[in-house]
Amino acid sequence: MKNIKYLLVAFVLFVCSHAAFAQTSVSSYFLDGAFHNNRLNPAMKAERGFFSLTMGNVGIRTKSNFGISDILYPRGNELTTFMSGDVSADEFLGRMPDAATLGFNFDESLLSFGFRAFGGYATFDLSLHSSMSISLPKGLFEFAKRGFQKNVYDVAGINFNTMNYASASLGYSHEVYKGLRVGANLKYLMGLAHANITIDKLRMEMNDEHWLVESHAQAQAGFFCESKATLDENGAIDGIEFGNMAPSASGFAVDLGVVYDMNEFVPGLTLSASVLDLGFINWKHMMKGQSTDAKVEFDGFGTVDPDNMDATVDDEFEKLGEDAEKLMDFAYNGTESMKTNMNTTMYLGAEYNMPFYKPLSVAVLYGHCFAPIESNRWYDVRGFVNISPLKWLEAWVNFGYS
């Protein structure tokens, strides 16, 4: 279990160390001078060849169905949290969704280049990708806010999911008809780490004389190579043992795109569309586990020896802690092969160059992610104003709704 914690901590540190360099690549979708637009639409090409090594393009996206205003509340001249007595339970819970979700996606290009070839434009890209999501049921927030005001809480549906992989992509775009350009990126995917944990039962019963907590959880985890769980003396998962280091998690995906310059019909109008990450990763050694139907009961301290009170209280707390640890013990159910679908994303764009000043344009871009995990799904509508008075100078402003 400690090894798993270390892996999760290392991953969080990796993401945090790179976040300072983040930029949202979708913001430059309509800029002719942007080199990495083929990652959003493979039919797009740069004005010239390019080469980028490490930190060439970083994208970070977060998505949530609740906001800061649901957590912090103005009271007088100060802000207070939802846990404050000045914020009623009805006010706070009335603003929370049935399941609070938070999604996080991170993409970093390690090596990429593009050049003109075969009458079109060819690209290569080597990237790292990571996604994390968490879902917390409303009942969990109710327990935090109301506490002992209720005797029984049934909280189910807590979920944590993360998928991390590397991709190597070959892309090509070509003008097939006057103004009509099509393109595709073919990707080889290598899975690095994937985990999914679901708490499908969590029941808490509390009163002045009796506490009871019952839970059940399921977990799956897979890595880039052959792996299996190690067990402690009680048969619970204690860590991870890696075997043959040959890659055992791989898959394929494709990006498709089209750009149509409609100057022949509507001067200044360009339409575009793309579908990204149509594919999957197959994890050959996905470890499975599930918790025992453990429970923690507390009926108060037993007989207390007045001559040795400290030792008696310590023993009671130690027993309570041991029972609580059992809630996190997972029995090992072996390994299996499992396929995970990618976070397929669609973009639809339209740009119009102003007839009175060609370097000035307005545009709109719609994006929609059809991820397998609900907390990773999103949609986004953005408006753009772009200006390019010189070949080497481009600027833009955009605003969005999601």
Side-chain angles (χ1 to χ4, degrees):
M1 207 64 173
K2 290 181 179 179
N3 293 340
I4 297 175
K5 292 178 181 178
Y6 293 151
L7 287 170
L8 290 174
V9 169
F11 172 75
V12 171
L13 290 176
F14 169 80
V15 171
C16 291
S17 66
H18 288 69
F21 299 95
Q23 63 180 23
T24 306
S25 57
V26 72
S27 298
S28 59
Y29 183 92
F30 295 102
L31 295 185
D32 294 332
F35 293 141
H36 295 91
N37 281 356
N38 68 295
R39 298 180 67 187
L40 298 172
N41 188 326
M44 291 184 171
K45 66 180 182 69
E47 292 182 331
R48 54 189 179 278
F50 71 93
F51 178 85
S52 176
L53 179 63
T54 71
M55 301 311 299
N57 187 51
V58 178
I60 288 182
R61 175 183 289 273
T62 60
K63 179 260 182 184
S64 174
N65 62 354
F66 65 98
I68 295 295
S69 61
D70 298 319
I71 304 299
L72 299 178
Y73 293 79
R75 290 296 183 266
N77 297 324
E78 298 180 348
L79 287 176
T80 186
T81 69
F82 70 92
M83 294 297 292
S84 170
D86 294 332
V87 180
S88 69
D90 290 339
E91 179 184 4
F92 166 61
L93 296 173
R95 300 175 63 167
M96 293 299 292
D98 290 336
T101 60
L102 177 64
F104 175 87
N105 292 274
F106 172 86
D107 302 280
E108 178 178 1
S109 176
L110 302 177
L111 170 67
S112 60
F113 54 84
F115 56 92
R116 299 180 186 276
F118 310 109
Y121 197 81
T123 59
F124 173 82
D125 182 80
L126 180 64
S127 295
L128 291 176
H129 312 268
S130 178
S131 67
M132 282 195 304
S133 65
I134 187 169
S135 178
L136 301 174
K138 189 174 184 177
L140 197 62
F141 294 95
E142 184 181 17
F143 168 69
K145 181 62 179 174
R146 295 192 190 275
F148 288 98
Q149 295 178 29
K150 282 182 62 176
N151 292 332
V152 178
Y153 292 91
D154 285 305
V155 180
I158 299 175
N159 177 264
F160 171 80
N161 183 281
T162 179
M163 186 165 71
N164 312 275
Y165 65 97
S167 68
S169 169
L170 287 173
Y172 184 74
S173 64
H174 191 84
E175 187 173 20
V176 295
Y177 183 74
K178 184 178 180 181
L180 179 63
R181 190 175 193 89
V182 298
N185 296 328
L186 301 179
K187 300 178 179 179
Y188 169 75
L189 311 176
M190 187 177 78
L192 300 177
H194 174 51
N196 185 74
I197 302 172
T198 301
I199 300 177
D200 47 31
K201 176 185 178 182
L202 181 57
R203 185 177 187 275
M204 296 173 284
E205 182 179 319
M206 302 175 300
N207 55 48
D208 294 338
E209 300 178 353
H210 179 76
W211 289 10
L212 172 66
V213 179
E214 298 176 294
S215 73
H216 182 269
Q218 301 181 61
Q220 300 89 32
F223 295 91
F224 62 93
C225 64
E226 182 180 350
S227 56
K228 64 178 182 179
T230 60
L231 309 179
D232 62 17
E233 62 275 8
N234 298 317
I237 296 176
D238 182 57
I240 299 171
E241 182 179 281
F242 296 102
N244 189 338
M245 297 304 289
S248 65
S250 60
F252 299 92
V254 62
D255 302 338
L256 303 173
V258 59
V259 176
Y260 189 22
D261 184 348
M262 300 190 66
N263 198 55
E264 185 176 349
F265 305 100
V266 183
L269 179 63
T270 301
L271 303 178
S272 61
S274 64
V275 178
L276 312 178
D277 291 324
L278 284 166
F280 64 92
I281 294 178
N282 186 48
W283 306 83
K284 294 183 181 179
H285 302 281
M286 183 67 72
M287 296 175 289
K288 300 186 300 177
Q290 64 176 347
S291 66
T292 58
D293 290 319
K295 62 181 179 179
V296 177
E297 288 190 86
F298 181 67
D299 296 310
F301 294 117
T303 303
V304 177
D305 183 357
D307 297 327
N308 195 15
M309 183 174 294
D310 289 342
T312 304
V313 172
D314 287 344
D315 289 344
E316 292 286 349
F317 274 119
E318 183 177 350
K319 182 180 181 301
L320 190 62
E322 291 174 354
D323 290 342
E325 286 183 2
K326 291 179 182 178
L327 296 176
M328 297 302 296
D329 284 345
F330 281 79
Y332 185 43
N333 292 339
T335 63
E336 67 176 359
S337 177
M338 190 177 82
K339 183 179 73 173
T340 54
N341 293 322
M342 306 306 295
N343 293 343
T344 301
T345 305
M346 175 187 69
Y347 286 105
L348 301 173
E351 182 181 22
Y352 182 71
N353 289 90
M354 294 301 171
F356 55 84
Y357 186 58
K358 297 292 185 181
L360 178 65
S361 70
V362 294
V364 62
L365 180 67
Y366 173 76
H368 197 134
C369 180
F370 305 91
I373 304 297
E374 183 178 357
S375 50
N376 277 333
R377 298 171 192 165
W378 55 266
Y379 73 90
D380 184 72
V381 181
R382 288 186 174 272
F384 294 78
V385 178
N386 311 297
I387 187 168
S388 179
L390 301 171
K391 283 189 175 182
W392 51 269
L393 178 62
E394 292 180 295
W396 74 99
V397 62
N398 72 85
F399 50 91
Y401 173 81
S402 61

